[in-house]
Amino acid sequence: DQQVKQNSPSLSVQEGRISILNCDYTNSMFDYFLWYKKYPAEGPTFLISISSIKDKNEDGRFTVFLNKSAKHLSLHIVPSQPGDSAVYFCAAINSGTYKYIFGTGTRLKVLA
Amino acid sequence: ETGVTQSPTHLIKTRGQQVTLRCSSQSGHNTVSWYQQALGQGPQFIFQYYREEENGRGNFPPRFSGLQFPNYSSELNVNALELDDSALYLCASSLGGAPANEKLFFGSGTQLSVL
């Protein structure tokens, strides 16, 4: 039972354009969501997070949107840069537990 | 640089053997959790330790066990290795305590291959 889904395994975007990565979840008890970026041969690194009491959080070129009614979140990267090419994982947690649930990841390729 | 280091980086074992993976957490982080990432999948939660006590476990059998030490180091032990245990094992540390909605700092992982 995949509680966190990233339905697009890969995405290619031109440098300077917007990248939109999507994530859907099924568990309404999740109240905190995070995005991680992973380069080859490295562990995932934290990118941005959002609490369920918000619908948007921005950090520089990265913005995460949360639509609780649709159980959907998205990560927007504007403008996209070649260094953004990596695998992006969304993760969710119910703060009453200790278990982050990760999606299967989306491989982003930003073309120069 | 997350300050979380894992050893070894790669390991090859045969079915039925036992393995110990090691992690050194970021200084001051009281919580360590371990994740298994199979090829093409996202990380899956194995268990978490807070101040040397296990305080959360995922859907993994008892042959997966762990230890956390006072010096911010920890171990993941897997007994009776199976072919499906082949995966990247990630250690993550965090400040700890509740609530659990805080970011994890991951190491680079140990790639385990079971033949």
Side-chain angles (χ1 to χ4, degrees), chain A residues 27-59:
Chain A
N27 189 340
S28 58
M29 297 298 291
F30 290 147
D31 56 4
Y32 194 66
F33 304 88
L34 308 90
W35 284 93
Y36 280 83
K37 179 170 71 173
K38 187 178 185 301
Y39 293 118
E42 294 183 15
T45 56
F46 171 78
L47 199 54
I48 193 169
S49 62
I50 188 166
S51 164
S52 61
I53 62 173
K54 296 186 174 181
D55 53 20
K56 178 181 173 182
N57 188 28
E58 272 183 277
D59 184 2

Side-chain angles (χ1 to χ4, degrees), chain A residues 20-23 35 63-67 72-76:
Chain A
I20 300 176
L21 295 93
N22 293 305
C23 180
W35 284 93
T63 303
V64 56
F65 295 92
L66 176 62
N67 182 335
H72 176 83
L73 63 156
S74 61
L75 173 68
H76 292 210

